[in-house]
Amino acid sequence: WISRNKEFIQDNIHYHFFNSGIPIYGRPWPGIFRFDLITNFYFNKQKVKKFVNKIKPDIIHLHGLENPYYSSTALQFIGTYPILATIQGFIGLQLPKGKLSLDIRKRLEVESELLKKVENFGVRTKAMKQEILKNNDEAKLYWHEYFLNIPKNLKISTSNKIYNIVFFARVSKAKGVEDLLKAIGKLQKEFPDLKAAIIGNVSEDYLQYLKLLAIENNCENNVVFFGFLPNQ
């Protein structure tokens, strides 16, 4: 919740941060008056435009399309600067049930527009490729992985441990908790003593659904749901 734009340099990297809330005050826009959504993130676009035009970059790397408070700011540069958009996920494939809120509708709108208008995309899976080409058959795709050290010959050890796996995030389908339960269901066949902790805010209805999903995947005894923790 920085109150104004902040800039600094470290290791020859120039960082520029902006607050996406109410100007000067810095707090989020209230739910009863989402000026940011109503104006298509007007203030954010102006702040980012000032940064970018000052930098005059050779390329803009937009990391993620699904959060419009920042991704929408790239739309104004299409045709002016080359843009490479790296996909994190697709909000259009993670829709909640029931009537969609203004926030979700805006996320869908901006993601759809970027998928159709951006020319260059960074992808890591065939599913990402298919989803992009479904929206933009002229898109140029660049395959690149995140820089992760993936351990080889992983062995599960329960010595001096309570949990082998810890999930710490908002507990939702979009964050992958359902995939995690299915994966644990497969792992417990080889490692029956495997224990996983799932930490994060979750509604009672969704929690009951996840518990049923754990039973369905034969891992109800391998998983503990802690819910929201007030501190870390």
Side-chain angles (χ1 to χ4, degrees), residues 53-144:
N53 286 340
K54 176 182 175 183
I55 297 166
K56 294 183 173 60
D58 294 310
I59 187 170
I60 293 173
H61 179 206
L62 174 62
H63 196 280
L65 311 186
E66 73 281 9
N67 289 307
Y69 71 91
Y70 71 85
S71 64
S72 66
T73 66
L75 287 166
Q76 62 191 319
F77 304 117
I78 291 176
T80 305
Y81 298 102
I83 297 175
L84 170 68
T86 292
I87 298 296
Q88 295 187 121
F90 299 95
I91 186 64
L93 301 179
Q94 306 166 0
L95 293 180
K97 296 178 181 178
K99 186 178 179 181
L100 300 179
S101 65
L102 177 60
D103 178 56
I104 295 295
R105 295 201 306 272
K106 184 59 65 175
R107 293 179 72 180
L108 283 169
E109 176 187 315
V110 172
E111 179 183 79
S112 176
E113 189 173 2
L114 285 164
L115 283 171
K116 292 173 182 175
K117 292 184 177 180
V118 172
E119 294 183 354
N120 308 290
F121 292 89
V123 297
R124 298 177 304 286
T125 68
K126 291 180 180 179
M128 288 180 173
K129 172 185 174 180
Q130 292 167 356
E131 190 64 24
I132 292 168
L133 294 178
K134 194 163 64 177
N135 290 273
N136 183 348
D137 59 8
E138 296 183 356
K140 298 182 182 71
L141 304 177
Y142 299 87
W143 293 80
H144 62 84

Side-chain angles (χ1 to χ4, degrees), residues 138-154:
E138 296 183 356
K140 298 182 182 71
L141 304 177
Y142 299 87
W143 293 80
H144 62 84
E145 301 290 339
Y146 285 151
F147 294 105
L148 299 174
N149 291 322
I150 301 175
K152 296 180 180 179
N153 302 318
L154 183 65

Side-chain angles (χ1 to χ4, degrees), residues 15 19-20 62 95 101 134 153 155 164 218:
Y15 294 87
N19 183 286
S20 61
L62 174 62
L95 293 180
S101 65
K134 194 163 64 177
N153 302 318
K155 294 181 179 180
N164 309 102
N218 299 312

